Structure formats: structure tokens, C-alpha cells
Amino acid sequence: MSAVPTTSKPAPRRGRPGYDQDAVVAAAVELFNRHGYEATSMGMIADRLGISKSAIYHHVPGKEQLLEVALDRAISELEAVLDRPAARERPVDQRLEYVLRAMVGVLVDELSNVTLLLRVRGNTPMERRAMERRRAFDHAVADLIEEAAKSGALRSDLQPRVVTRLLFGMINWITEWYRPDGPLRREELGDSVVAIAFDGLRPRG
Amino acid sequence: MSAVPTTSKPAPRRGRPGYDQDAVVAAAVELFNRHGYEATSMGMIADRLGISKSAIYHHVPGKEQLLEVALDRAISELEAVLDRPAARERPVDQRLEYVLRAMVGVLVDELSNVTLLLRVRGNTPMERRAMERRRAFDHAVADLIEEAAKSGALRSDLQPRVVTRLLFGMINWITEWYRPDGPLRREELGDSVVAIAFDGLRPRG
DNA sequence: GTCTATACGGAGATAGAC
DNA sequence: GTCTATCTCCGTATAGAC
């Protein structure tokens, strides 16, 4: 249903060599994350790629589509997590644990695009559409947490909504510091998130 | 030592009525948080205040100082937390708990300014100075966490650096969703953060 | 403390050549 | 697929009147 084709064709392109849409979008996303979307000019993207401003318009109709392609990719990957069998066919507490780990995985794999998604403020209709999809995803995970709390798998003295926000904080903030070329692997990161979320830092007696 | 005076004079100003620096900065910060610093124009700030662009230059030498005043205020409040007696003169685990709660308090009290601080990307020397102060604060809290881990007050199977990042995520992300006019009070929020951080979500048997 | 008028550069986007 | 040239609008900042 998305208006933006992902253009992920692994087949070698024919014709004159040069950039394809994915490469242009990737360069744009890096700059959007550094300077903000609105403050990033087409000239900056062109300089980064070593081509002229107008050449970008061959790959994409305008600046906003550069953002839209990246946001669509990020939110689609997150949505896909909830459709996986492991996120649907288990006891609630195991489903929640799986989803938290999977969210960390998507964040790491799609770090730039998800970073961009999390920074969108809803200043245009397109941004609001992306935020709405994100909000639906957040709600689905919140429902999972509430279900787990009602089943007795989670402590009952905390508000599920607040818990959801705080867990999302732990995970979403990963985009602000994680570096794929660093020493920490995604699996260890997921383990740490789950460890704190379920058991906390105090040693168990 | 900051180059930017805070201009917090509660005494009524004399002379011609109009805005003072604090009011101009407050309006600017709201817009910076919505559109990003670079994408916010002096014209947008002027429109918000109902004055002309050039009138702003009476209160502040330029756009960058609007940012600097806000960042200085945010980081100063955070730094002050670590100087409080309660953050220095107790067992490490109690000091850590106090600091986490106090960070939540500062975030809530200085929500707009701290939000802005957390979104700075280091694109100018001034932004990098603010980030350096923030980094020093983060390091001080990280040292506290490491000290608590070594003393046995925290479990030893998690890397203190990763723990620090995840705890900062829970807290810093509060700027993305907390609304002061909402039903959740700062004390409850601090309690929830501490509860998850130390004990996690699993019921204790 | 605020205004109007203006300087000057850079923004997104298009036309049309190669 | 990329280029140069150009359109039109908006950016920060300044000068000087009230």
C-alpha cells in the first residue's frame, strides 16, 4: 500500500553507470540524521555524492521522497516483527521477550533508517503518516505488555503504559549510541535489554 | 564560566513593555524542538512572538545564542545534580538511585531545554562544547554505575557501559513522550524508572 | 523595544543540452 | 545519468527611523 517503491532489485542495472535510488537515499539519510531533514539541502546531498543537484531529480521526484523511502523501509521492518510466528504463537511473556530482542535486531540492521524514523516530528502529512504507523506498532507492543501483566508474568505495581514507554526508551535510544563497527554485537545487546527489563540490576538472592 | 548570561531577573523590568530574553529564548526552544534548530528561521520565531524578525536582534546577538542559552541552562541543571550532598555522601547504590531520580526530576522541570540538549548533533563548535559537557556528565554517572557494580550492589554479568547506555535511554527518552500536564507526576515516573532499573518486571518470588 | 527596508547568499526545482 | 543555467522564494543579518 505504500506509495514509495523500495527499488531493491539485486539484478545488475543496465545502461549508463552511476548511482541508483538506493544509493542516493542512503546518502541523504546519513545527512538527514546529522543535520535534520529540513536543514539538509539538495546541494549537500549532491556534494556528498559528487554529482550536481539536478542529477538527484533523475532518481527521485523531490526531497520529500528521499525521506519517505527511508521511513517506509524502517517502519515496514518493525511491522514485520509482529507478523513473525515467534511473536504470535507462544506464552505472552516469551512473546514479549522475543519482540524486544527482535526490535533490537531491526534497530541495529536498519540503524540509519530507524534513527530517522524516530526523529520525525510530524511537520508534514507524509511525516504524520509515518508517525501513525509507528504509533500503531507501539500500541501493539503495549498491548503485549499489558497482556503479560494481566497474566501475572509481570509485576502488577507498575502502570503498563509507563513500563512500555520506559522499555521503548531503552531500545529506541540505542540509535543514539550504537555503532555497528563497535565491539558490541546485536545478540549481546538484546540479551542486556532483556536482562534489565525482566530482572533488573539488583543481584537476585 | 559560560559565555551566555542566563538573564533570570525576577524583578519587574522598567521602561518600555515587551519581551525579555527569557521569553524570546523560550519561544525559540519550542520551535527548535519541533522543526530542528537549523530548520527554524528567525522569521518563524518572530511570528510566534508577534514581532518582527529584526526585533529579536535586540534581545540576542544572533540565532546561535538562542540555542546556547537554552543548552547552557539544561546542562547546568544536570551538572548541579552531581554536586548535591545526597549524590556524594551515601553508599554507592543509594547514590545511584538518588541520581537516577534526580535526573528524571531535571528532565521534567527543564523538559524543553533538556530535549534540545539531547538532540544536538555537534554541527558547530558551540554545539560540540555543549556535547562535551554532556559527555562529562554521562561519564560521571557511568563511573557511579561501575563503582556500584564493583561493590556488589549490582549484578556482575552485565557490562557497566552497556547498562549505563540503557539506563540513560530509559531516562532520556522521557523527553520524547512526557507531558507535564498529563496524569503522571514526576515522583511516580522516578519510582518507575528505579523499579525497572533495579528489580525489573518479573515478579519476585 | 520595535519597526520598515534592504543586502546578499542559498534554498528547491525546472529546462534543455550532451 | 548527469550537466549548466536559471527561476523564484526565503534565509540571516544590518541600517536607521520612531
Side-chain angles (χ1 to χ4, degrees):
Chain A
M1 281 300 291
S2 172
V4 180
T6 317
T7 321
S8 53
K9 24 183 170 182
R13 288 170 304 104
R14 298 207 286 171
R16 186 187 289 207
Y19 293 107
D20 62 359
Q21 197 195 57
D22 279 1
V24 175
V25 169
V29 169
E30 295 300 317
L31 291 167
F32 291 164
N33 279 331
R34 167 151 293 273
H35 298 277
Y37 165 70
E38 294 175 80
T40 301
S41 69
M42 297 298 265
M44 291 162 71
I45 301 166
D47 287 348
R48 162 69 63 99
L49 292 168
I51 60 179
S52 67
K53 274 196 299 181
S54 56
I56 297 176
Y57 289 89
H58 176 79
H59 301 284
V60 80
K63 187 184 172 185
E64 191 173 34
Q65 281 73 19
L66 289 170
L67 178 62
E68 190 168 14
V69 170
L71 295 184
D72 181 68
R73 172 139 189 178
I75 188 63
S76 294
E77 293 291 325
L78 285 172
E79 288 168 345
V81 164
L82 297 176
D83 292 330
R84 298 180 194 168
R88 306 173 66 87
E89 304 160 0
R90 292 188 194 185
V92 270
D93 54 334
Q94 288 182 34
R95 260 154 52 200
L96 177 57
E97 181 177 331
Y98 176 82
V99 167
L100 296 183
R101 278 188 214 276
M103 284 177 65
V104 172
V106 171
L107 250 71
V108 170
D109 292 341
E110 292 287 329
L111 193 57
S112 295
N113 292 334
V114 175
T115 300
L116 195 57
L117 176 67
L118 294 176
R119 290 183 184 169
V120 157
R121 304 289 160 219
N123 293 319
T124 67
M126 190 243 97
E127 291 187 8
R128 284 190 282 277
R129 283 197 301 275
M131 286 178 72
E132 182 51 41
R133 285 175 72 185
R134 195 184 125 201
R135 207 184 62 84
F137 173 82
D138 291 4
H139 255 81
V141 180
D143 288 345
L144 202 57
I145 289 172
E146 188 150 12
E147 197 183 338
K150 279 182 181 162
S151 78
L154 303 184
R155 57 196 284 184
S156 56
D157 60 328
L158 299 176
Q159 300 174 42
R161 287 182 190 173
V162 177
V163 167
T164 302
R165 309 271 208 185
L166 295 175
L167 292 187
F168 269 87
M170 258 202 298
I171 294 173
N172 289 344
W173 194 254
I174 290 170
T175 55
E176 298 292 317
W177 58 268
Y178 185 76
R179 295 294 167 260
D181 54 336
L184 188 63
R185 287 175 314 141
R186 359 173 320 168
E187 290 76 15
E188 298 174 273
L189 185 52
D191 290 345
S192 299
V193 168
V194 168
I196 294 180
F198 283 92
D199 294 318
L201 297 172
R202 208 189 305 277
R204 298 249 163 177
Chain B
M1 279 299 293
S2 171
V4 180
T6 318
T7 322
S8 53
K9 25 183 174 185
R13 288 168 305 102
R14 298 206 287 172
R16 187 188 287 209
Y19 294 107
D20 62 358
Q21 198 196 54
D22 279 1
V24 175
V25 169
V29 169
E30 295 300 318
L31 291 167
F32 291 164
N33 280 332
R34 168 152 291 273
H35 298 277
Y37 166 69
E38 295 175 79
T40 302
S41 71
M42 297 296 263
M44 291 161 72
I45 301 166
D47 288 348
R48 162 69 63 100
L49 291 167
I51 61 179
S52 68
K53 276 195 294 180
S54 57
I56 296 176
Y57 290 89
H58 177 78
H59 301 283
V60 79
K63 187 183 171 185
E64 191 173 35
Q65 281 72 19
L66 289 170
L67 178 61
E68 191 168 15
V69 170
L71 296 183
D72 181 68
R73 173 139 190 178
I75 188 63
S76 295
E77 293 292 325
L78 284 172
E79 287 167 346
V81 164
L82 297 176
D83 292 331
R84 297 181 194 166
R88 308 173 64 87
E89 303 160 1
R90 292 187 192 183
V92 270
D93 54 334
Q94 287 183 32
R95 261 153 52 200
L96 178 57
E97 181 177 330
Y98 177 82
V99 168
L100 296 183
R101 278 187 214 276
M103 284 177 65
V104 172
V106 171
L107 250 71
V108 169
D109 291 342
E110 292 286 329
L111 193 57
S112 296
N113 292 333
V114 175
T115 300
L116 195 55
L117 176 67
L118 295 177
R119 290 182 184 169
V120 157
R121 304 289 161 219
N123 294 320
T124 67
M126 191 245 97
E127 290 187 8
R128 284 189 284 278
R129 284 197 300 275
M131 286 178 72
E132 180 52 40
R133 286 174 72 183
R134 196 184 124 198
R135 207 185 61 83
F137 172 83
D138 290 4
H139 255 80
V141 179
D143 288 346
L144 201 58
I145 289 172
E146 189 150 13
E147 196 183 339
K150 280 182 180 161
S151 78
L154 304 184
R155 57 196 283 185
S156 54
D157 60 327
L158 299 177
Q159 299 175 43
R161 287 182 189 173
V162 177
V163 168
T164 302
R165 310 271 207 186
L166 295 176
L167 292 188
F168 269 87
M170 254 201 301
I171 294 173
N172 289 343
W173 195 255
I174 291 170
T175 55
E176 298 292 317
W177 58 268
Y178 185 77
R179 295 293 166 261
D181 53 335
L184 188 63
R185 287 175 314 141
R186 355 172 325 165
E187 291 76 16
E188 298 174 275
L189 185 52
D191 289 345
S192 299
V193 168
V194 168
I196 295 180
F198 284 92
D199 294 319
L201 296 173
R202 211 188 305 277
R204 299 248 164 178

